[in-house]
Amino acid sequence: MPAGDKTGAGSPTGMMRYEGDAFGQQFRGTLLSADAGRNSIFSYQPQVFKSGYELGSRTILFLQ
């Protein structure tokens, strides 16, 4: 299985899968990954691709 995402230098603090509905249907099943070193939260919408998944990452929160 290929690596999920290559974020480079940083301080990853954890990952979770959002299964609720409070943020709307478009966020259901989203993987969220926090990185304290970058002050960012990345979101991923996993899509089945061959024997693994494609993630299609985007930054949803960035603090300076």
Side-chain angles (χ1 to χ4, degrees), residues 10-51:
S11 235
T13 59
M15 195 168 220
M16 68 163 279
R17 181 178 177 119
Y18 180 74
E19 296 178 348
D21 292 320
F23 297 129
Q25 190 65 23
Q26 70 270 20
F27 280 99
R28 185 158 201 154
T30 297
L31 293 174
L32 300 168
S33 174
D35 190 323
R38 293 177 182 225
N39 294 326
S40 299
I41 297 178
F42 301 103
S43 74
Y44 307 92
Q45 293 291 106
Q47 301 295 320
V48 175
F49 179 73
K50 297 184 181 179
S51 64

